[in-house]
Amino acid sequence: MTTSERHPTRLDRESCYRAVKSRDRRFDGVFYTAVSTTGIYCRPSCPARTPAFHHVTFHPSAASAQAAGYRACKRCLPDATPGSPDWDVAATAAGRAMRLIADGVVDREGVDGLARRVGYTSRHLTRILTSELGAGPLALARARRAQTARVLIETTELTYADVAFASGFSSVRQFNDTIREVYAASPTDLRGRRGGRAATTGTVTMRLAVRTPYLGSALLAFLATRAVPGAEAAGEGWYARTLALPHGSGTVRLQLPDVDEPGQTAFAVATFALDDLRDTAAATERVRRMLDADCDPLAVADAFAGDPVIGPLARAWPGLRVPGHVDGHEIAVRAVLGQQVSVAGARTVATRLVEQHGRPITHPDGTLTRLFPDAETIAGLSPEDLPMPRSRGRALVALCEALAEGSLALDRGPDRDDVRRALLAIPGIGPWTADYIALRALGHPDVFLPTDVGIRDALLGLGQDPAAAAELAQGWSPWRSYAQLYLWQTLVKED
């Protein structure tokens, strides 16, 4: 009996099989096809011959297929697909847990730590994950470690021991056993003739899968406009920043593609320089959040088709993404800095904070020299000493106190509505700030900022009444965050 048969999911066999027969790439990462006659599992778009209906079962996660005894197809590499967009759209407990598992929380804090962050007991969370994803937290974390290890083996210069610990394995033996079991190949087989790699220098270059179409140049421009010197840098076709990670600091440099062809998988090139290679998984997941890599752009475009305001914008800029962030605490601070000031003004204040209170990174890289100040540091400052109006300074310190003590978490673990209520309970934090944080820190696909100056200017430019912004946005649900970006994009092009 397979895992899917023991733990029924919402996957409909007939619909899944139609997607497999048509090799529909839109479902890559949404479900996996296991073939009983071969003992392998594939992505829906695998180019191999379509198996007979009675020989296949469908699984909601790679971990579910692995737990049922299937190994990954060497032809289509099913575990290398972008994650399911449902994790951010629905933001159920299972989806929030998957984000934290990808960040390495199970490896660092165990199942109890994961459950605590999501707000459930470990037993109940295991039941939820098994029901919705076909595997428990340990199996899901193991599948993520195996996928990270395979990418590192095939694309980097790291030794096998370094790959093992960078992927989150506790020992080289555990790493070897897992790779053999999941891929029916040894690490040496996966690397092939590229053996004899040099010892690690702490620098890892990876290709991060993103769904297409993907308008990477627009996301780069958004990040570059707001880049804070010392902690961020940008140039023609690239963006870089410092990273505060669980075991140390690091930097990342990104090159993002512009790919118009829909339904494919494209790759963003990310070069990480890390103090501790154990942070590889966390750094990768946080950058993927910033890139909005798991978004389903075809679903977004379909929702806007026929809309007189957003429809033409979606056709003009296919694949526009909502820029996420690598650190929820940082974007929360920057949201407060951006209250009632221009982007340039907020950037100036943020630069002063980094210069005065940012911790130097261990290995500076050009102009990247400091981390953005953490919540504990800002919570210890006096509002009178901050370069902003007194009332905003008090709001900033109160926000950082809540973040530092743990009464407020912005790691995508808690329920989004609970986070919004907690933010609004802080004096000086209003709806614009709370929703901007939800947009960029929590990956919420359905928030809108009707009072934002940029939105009002964009609507005026499109011949719409800004006073009716909130009413207009009701028709753009459940993708109002993307409508927000399309409207902002009109201002960029006018410049």
Side-chain angles (χ1 to χ4, degrees):
M1 180 178 292
T2 68
T3 301
S4 291
E5 292 167 337
R6 290 197 306 269
H7 307 291
T9 70
R10 291 170 292 180
L11 297 178
D12 177 73
R13 282 178 55 82
E14 300 288 346
S15 299
C16 290
Y17 192 69
R18 285 198 299 272
V20 171
K21 287 179 66 177
S22 62
R23 294 180 172 84
D24 195 331
R25 292 178 179 271
R26 293 176 298 174
F27 293 94
D28 288 355
V30 177
F31 71 87
Y32 300 82
T33 306
V35 186
S36 60
T37 52
T38 62
I40 67 172
Y41 71 95
C42 304
R43 63 173 76 189
S45 66
C46 182
R49 186 180 67 180
T50 303
F53 181 76
H54 58 278
H55 288 157
V56 299
T57 53
F58 301 102
H59 298 257
S61 66
S64 171
Q66 291 171 17
Y70 294 95
R71 66 182 186 275
C73 174
K74 296 179 182 178
R75 187 170 182 180
C76 70
L77 300 176
D79 57 340
T81 60
S84 172
D86 292 340
W87 298 344
D88 282 337
V89 175
T92 61
R96 301 198 308 273
M98 282 299 296
R99 289 298 185 205
L100 295 174
I101 290 171
D103 193 70
V105 168
V106 171
D107 300 331
R108 298 191 300 269
E109 303 176 22
V111 176
D112 288 342
L114 173 69
R116 184 170 57 254
R117 287 178 179 242
V118 179
Y120 291 92
T121 65
S122 56
R123 179 176 297 179
H124 186 54
L125 180 61
T126 298
R127 283 198 296 265
I128 291 173
L129 291 174
T130 302
S131 174
E132 294 197 27
L133 298 174
L138 290 175
L140 291 164
R142 177 177 179 269
R144 172 65 67 167
R145 286 194 296 269
Q147 192 270 329
T148 300
R150 184 191 59 76
V151 171
L152 293 174
I153 289 169
E154 296 179 346
T155 65
T156 74
E157 302 290 321
L158 299 181
T159 64
Y160 295 131
D162 289 324
V163 169
F165 294 111
S167 307
F169 290 99
S170 58
S171 69
V172 175
R173 179 176 179 177
Q174 183 189 62
F175 157 73
N176 285 325
D177 291 345
T178 300
I179 294 300
R180 288 191 178 94
E181 181 179 343
V182 172
Y183 298 110
S186 69
T188 303
D189 294 332
L190 291 179
R191 183 162 275 176
R193 296 182 180 180
R194 297 176 59 246
R197 303 286 87 185
T200 177
T201 61
T203 299
V204 179
T205 297
M206 302 178 69
R207 298 195 310 160
L208 309 181
V210 298
R211 298 180 187 277
T212 60
Y214 193 86
L215 192 58
S217 58
L219 192 147
L220 283 175
F222 183 97
L223 297 174
T225 301
R226 293 157 179 79
V228 177
E232 297 174 286
E236 186 65 31
W238 62 272
Y239 165 82
R241 67 158 296 128
T242 58
L243 300 169
L245 298 164
H247 300 102
S249 61
T251 62
V252 63
R253 182 185 174 104
L254 291 164
Q255 294 176 296
L256 306 185
D258 279 344
V259 182
D260 290 337
E261 187 176 359
Q264 305 293 316
T265 297
F267 295 94
V269 178
T271 299
F272 298 95
L274 308 175
D275 290 350
D276 192 319
L277 284 171
R278 289 177 297 173
D279 285 326
T280 302
T284 302
E285 172 62 15
R286 294 176 193 192
V287 169
R288 286 183 56 80
R289 295 176 195 170
M290 184 170 66
L291 304 184
D292 197 13
D294 294 335
C295 163
D296 184 350
L298 298 181
V300 174
D302 287 345
F304 293 145
D307 184 90
V309 179
I310 304 298
L313 306 182
R315 290 189 292 274
W317 299 301
L320 191 68
R321 293 300 207 269
V322 173
H325 208 274
V326 297
D327 189 328
H329 291 192
E330 177 182 329
I331 201 61
V333 170
R334 294 174 67 164
V336 174
L337 300 183
Q339 290 177 351
Q340 300 178 337
V341 299
S342 66
V343 170
R347 180 184 180 186
T348 299
V349 177
T351 300
R352 292 179 61 182
L353 279 179
V354 169
E355 290 173 347
Q356 296 174 9
H357 305 291
R359 179 165 54 87
I361 62 175
T362 307
H363 301 101
D365 181 5
T367 61
L368 299 178
T369 58
R370 293 179 177 272
L371 298 171
F372 196 89
D374 58 32
E376 291 83 354
T377 298
I378 297 177
L381 302 177
S382 169
E384 290 78 9
D385 296 333
L386 293 169
M388 62 190 68
R390 192 76 53 84
S391 60
R392 200 185 315 158
R394 287 195 293 268
L396 180 59
V397 170
L399 169 67
C400 289
E401 287 175 345
L403 292 170
E405 69 185 16
S407 60
L408 174 65
L410 299 175
D411 58 7
R412 300 199 181 190
D415 180 80
R416 289 168 177 161
D417 291 337
D418 292 341
V419 171
R420 191 176 193 274
R421 283 190 290 269
L423 284 166
L424 293 176
I426 299 173
I429 303 295
W432 183 93
T433 305
D435 289 338
Y436 186 80
I437 292 170
L439 182 84
R440 298 202 57 199
L442 305 183
H444 199 318
D446 195 30
V447 295
F448 192 72
L449 313 178
T451 62
D452 182 80
V453 174
I455 291 301
R456 297 176 68 85
D457 290 345
L459 289 174
L460 275 174
L462 294 170
Q464 302 294 321
D465 181 7
E471 183 179 350
L472 270 174
Q474 292 301 319
W476 302 330
S477 185
W479 305 109
R480 285 178 289 181
S481 298
Y482 293 87
Q484 177 93 20
L485 263 293
Y486 278 115
L487 291 172
W488 277 341
Q489 186 69 11
T490 65
L491 302 179
V492 173
K493 289 301 179 181
E494 288 177 1
D495 292 342

